[in-house]
Amino acid sequence: MDAKSIQQLKVFTEACKANPAILHDSNLAFFKEYLESLGATVPKPEKKAESPKKEEPKPSHTPAPEPTPEPMAEESSDEEVVELDNTGVLPEADTLLDLPMGDPDKQPTEEEMEKSNDIRGQAMGAMSDGNLDEAIKLFGEALECNPHSAVLYAKRAQLLLRQQKPTNVIRDTERALKLNPNNALAHKCQGKAYRLLGKWEESSHALEAGQKCDYDDDTQELLKTIVKPNAEKLRLARMKKESSKREKEHKEKVERIRAAKEARQKAYEEEKARADSESDGMPGGMPGGMGGLFDDPEIAVLLQDPEVVQAMAAIQKNPAAMMQYMNNPKIMKVIQKLQGKFGGADMPEGMPPGFSGGMPSGMPPGFPGM
């Protein structure tokens, strides 16, 4: 027998020690008969512990996915119901047990290490006898002596998994993986615990990590047939939801920009209309007698100046008010332009008397047009 076959046999033997129920597999009937022919006693399968795994999934198949979609559908029309194979999922999570976890800051002595190994041997014996509660208790005592053993946490997690206590399994496996990230048993127990809780993506991640550490066909079959298909469905649904959210946020942003642009345009048009209406109050009225005045670019610019508009409106109401603007070059420039445009003709209605044909009477001597 070559080294590889011996190694495989060693792994198989360890698996049988950890879970004697394997020997009751119909495919291993020949090996079980051989052991019994040598006088070995194979522990009877734990029918009570395993039966709930096969019977309970059926009622849990309906309630597990249904509570989520209904409220989600109300929140978003894009939300889709993801159909999952919830075979093996527990109807509800277990509660954490008060189990010894050991002091992580403790530095065990050689004596305590020896004691921990002795108790571990007793725990393995109880496990082989099918006494799971006693084995779990003994593993706890071993951990109190040596809280730095990843194997002890992983072994206890394995027993808790057989009792279908996934929350407790996850707690033990997290501690084991913190001590040894490459502990295959801890990864696989954790993945199966997440499966019992219906956490498919976490289950897939943990089982794949375990396979990288120590590959086995049973775990691969579980991954291929149930865990990975469910995890992939959830991943795609999440990606679609995130994409829809990004698209919605982009549309809202575009709409906000469009609304702001429209508001600015509206404000501009209202301001322009207001300015145009104020221009209509200029002397003589618009378009009428001053319609052609805006053909002069310089005057058109000046008449946009609020100060000029206000002054000309004041002069229209009270011609004598023009005197107070004699020293204002902007105002006088407009008056000069008016003189040039209407010189010799009647000035627009409302302009001061004497403006027609020259500057208004009373203007200082020597002023242009006098």
Side-chain angles (χ1 to χ4, degrees), residues 293-330:
L293 190 61
F294 285 96
D295 293 338
D296 186 325
E298 188 176 10
I299 289 296
V301 172
L302 285 170
L303 290 177
Q304 295 298 317
D305 188 325
E307 183 184 2
V308 174
V309 173
Q310 185 178 2
M312 298 307 290
I315 293 170
Q316 182 183 18
K317 291 179 181 178
N318 181 15
M322 186 178 68
M323 300 303 294
Q324 63 181 312
Y325 299 106
M326 298 297 291
N327 295 324
N328 189 317
K330 290 190 294 184

Side-chain angles (χ1 to χ4, degrees), residues 90-129:
L90 297 177
E92 59 182 19
D94 59 310
T95 56
L96 282 174
L97 302 174
D98 185 17
L99 299 174
M101 297 301 294
D103 181 5
D105 298 325
K106 178 179 180 177
Q107 295 299 326
T109 62
E110 288 186 10
E111 234 176 61
E112 288 174 320
M113 295 280 284
E114 260 183 58
K115 183 179 179 182
S116 176
N117 288 334
D118 290 342
I119 299 174
R120 174 189 172 184
Q122 296 173 32
M124 295 295 289
M127 184 169 69
S128 297
D129 294 339

Side-chain angles (χ1 to χ4, degrees), residues 218-252:
D218 290 341
T219 301
Q220 190 61 26
E221 183 68 14
L222 178 61
L223 267 169
K224 181 180 176 181
T225 57
I226 299 178
V227 177
K228 285 192 78 172
N230 281 345
E232 183 64 10
K233 287 179 183 179
L234 290 172
R235 186 184 71 84
L236 292 175
R238 186 178 66 257
M239 288 178 63
K240 183 176 180 181
K241 182 179 179 181
E242 290 172 355
S243 176
S244 297
K245 182 181 177 182
R246 286 193 299 270
E247 184 179 352
K248 181 181 178 183
E249 289 173 350
H250 175 70
K251 287 180 179 179
E252 289 174 349

